[in-house]
Every structure is written in C-alpha cells, then in structure tokens.
Amino acid sequence: MPISIAVALLLWSKVRGPRPVRILSRLAMIVFCQITAVTTVFVMVNNANLIYGNWDDLLGTGNHVRAVPSVPVEAGGGATGGSQGGGDAAKQPPKVQQQFRSVDDPKVPNDVQKTDLKGQLSGVDGEVLVWLPPQYHDPAFKDKKFPVVELIPGFPGSSSTWYGTLKVSEQLKPLMQEGKVAPFILISPRTLLLGNTTDAGCTDVPGRVNADTWLTRDVPQMVLDNFRADPSADRWAVAGYSAGAHCATKLSLAHPNRYRAGISLSGYNDPAVEKDSLVGKDAKLREANNPVTIVKTAAQPPKVALYISGNKGDGYEDGQAIAAVAKAPTTVQVQETTGPHTSDVWKNMVPGVFQWLTSIIPAQP
C-alpha cells in the first residue's frame, strides 16, 4: 500500500494530456490506491484469522468434490466402519498409507503435519492436518493407542485455523505434559468443499457432496491407517466453533458409534442460521440436521457428552434447547459466555474445554 501511494504522488503532477485525460488518470490512481488498501487490510485480517487457506479458497476456484457416489452402508461400529465393530473388514476400503509434509504456514506450528487425502467413500478430496501429542513419540508409550479429536472450523474457514489462530496445540502441549489434559491426537480436515459461497453443512447431500461421509468415515479411517489411534468410539470426539460447532453437535449426536463427545463453541441448531448453508435451503434436510430433531427422533438416546457454550443470542439458547430434550445417557453441559463471536473468545476457552473433555475421555494408564 505505501508503494502505491508513493507512485501516485510521484506521477500526480506528471500526468499530461487534455484535462479529461488528466482527471481520469488521477482518478485511476486514487482507485488503485483504494483497492491496494482494501486488499492489504483483507490479507492482514485473513493472515490473522486464517479464514481462507489459499487463493483458490478465496476465489472459489478450488475443486474438492471429485464425485458424489452412493455411500455404502457401514459394516460395523466404532470410529470407522471397520473391523473393530465386528463387521466384514473386506467390505471396507483398502488401507492407504499417506505421505505427510509440513503445513508451510508461518502461523501454524512446525510439528503440525499435512496430507492430501482422496476420500474413497465420499468422493471428496482435501487436506487433513494432524498434530501428535508429546507422548506419541515417547518410548514409554510405544505400545499405546491414543484418543482423537476432530477439529472443525467455521464457514468459511481453513483447516489451519485451529492450530494457527486458536493455537490449540500450543496451548494443550504443556497441559498434556503436566497430565492435566489427555494426550489427544488432533486432526483438522478441510470443510470448505463447495467454494466460498456454499456451506456443505457437514452433510451428505445427494448429487452435490458427501461431506458427512468425508468427515466421519474417510478422515477417521485415514487416521487409523496411519497412526496409533484408538479405534473405539469411546476415545473419539469432535469439536468446532461457529458453523463448525453446529457440525460438532450434529455429527456426534448422529454418529454415537463414532464419537463419545462433542464440543460446540458459539454454534447453532438450525442450519439456516448460516445464510450460505446448502442444507438450510432444503426443508427436509434442514429439519433432519437440526440436533434437537436428531435427539428427539433417535431410536435410543445417544451415548454422547456435549459441551455447548455461547453468549445469549449466540448459541446459549441452542444449547438449552438440546438439554431440554436430552435423556440419559446423553449429557449436555451448557456454558454461558460473554464476548463477541470471534476467535479470541474461543482461543481462551481451549484449555478449559479440553480439561472437560479429559473428564469424559481420560488418558489411559
């Protein structure tokens, strides 16, 4: 921006030609400076909050839905539909050993890994970021399997936001070393699948996207195939903020065979709260994907513990609505917060929220 202003000042008095030409030329300089200023501010805000992971996300030119196949019925229970649930493992996708690399983002810690996953069941392609707890490489834990938390960003949001803006791994690492927080593997998959103007809503939408299957089957299976992750649903959780909080609540309640707990930070129940939600624009999908509806219509109350936080008018009442219809073994802790709908609020909540989660999914001896 300073360069554009300096150039404009340098050329301002040097413009030649008829008066209309001089006026238009100087007007163009002003417009150029304004565009540069707006772009600079946007880049600064984006870098601070990691709203978009790359230019494709910003411009909406990324293509992350390779196909929309009919998703096969699960073969068994657990964190994936694999052999841990007693199903036929032969019906599951073959194991895929992924290649991992650094994230190449100065805001993301160096110990966060990244891989490009081609979802075998969902038809979705996207990056998945993985962080391993300090105990993972400790020889004393070489035979241990670790609990997992899937981290969902808001919309639009980057898979890097939890690590770079909310600083989840940097905050939790010392707490894990002190034994105050269980040694969770933290994973954050891409959720911006349909461009920056359409929120997939973590839902399988026929003919458009299998976002639910991507998050609850393809990504967990990759983690199990490549890391010493515990396959039991009792050792998995999903957490999110804003639109990702809606996803965390919904996915945990809809898939108690995959998740033991869900964490919602300033979320909502009605998908239509997000104006760009694909699910919110369809009456049947909108109702079916409301967590209150999921709880009410479940064949039996899901064995899921929910932590739902939010300010009044920003998630608090939504949590109360779920708590009002929940029955054991579903548990709902609703926490009223103060402050705006921003990452600064959620970042400060990370240590306490994960200490709560450790009471639900404790470290194994």
Side-chain angles (χ1 to χ4, degrees), residues 36-60:
T36 303
V38 171
T39 303
T40 300
V41 171
F42 175 84
V43 171
M44 292 174 62
V45 172
N46 185 70
N47 288 344
N49 296 280
L50 296 178
I51 300 170
Y52 297 102
N54 52 50
W55 285 104
D56 281 337
D57 286 347
L58 170 61
L59 300 174

Side-chain angles (χ1 to χ4, degrees), residues 67-85:
V68 191
S70 177
V71 179
V73 177
E74 301 179 47
T80 72
S83 58
Q84 66 273 17

Side-chain angles (χ1 to χ4, degrees), residues 175-240:
L175 296 176
M176 292 180 181
Q177 291 170 325
E178 297 168 8
K180 295 179 180 179
V181 169
F184 297 108
I185 295 174
L186 305 178
I187 62 174
S188 183
R190 165 175 284 275
T191 56
L192 197 62
L193 306 177
L194 297 172
N196 59 7
T197 59
T198 303
D199 177 16
C202 306
T203 300
D204 285 1
V205 181
R208 291 296 304 274
V209 62
N210 289 325
D212 183 311
T213 299
W214 161 250
L215 293 170
T216 66
R217 299 180 69 176
D218 282 332
V219 171
Q221 188 63 57
M222 181 278 291
V223 174
L224 290 173
D225 287 348
N226 289 270
F227 301 98
R228 297 197 313 277
D230 195 318
S232 169
D234 285 336
R235 308 289 291 165
W236 282 65
V238 56

Side-chain angles (χ1 to χ4, degrees), residues 265-267 309-317 335-349:
L265 307 179
S266 303
S309 71
N311 204 344
K312 288 183 178 178
D314 187 24
Y316 179 68
E317 293 84 357
Q335 180 66 48
E336 183 178 355
T337 61
T338 58
H341 192 86
T342 64
S343 58
D344 286 338
V345 172
W346 307 319
K347 179 176 68 176
N348 292 334
M349 296 181 67

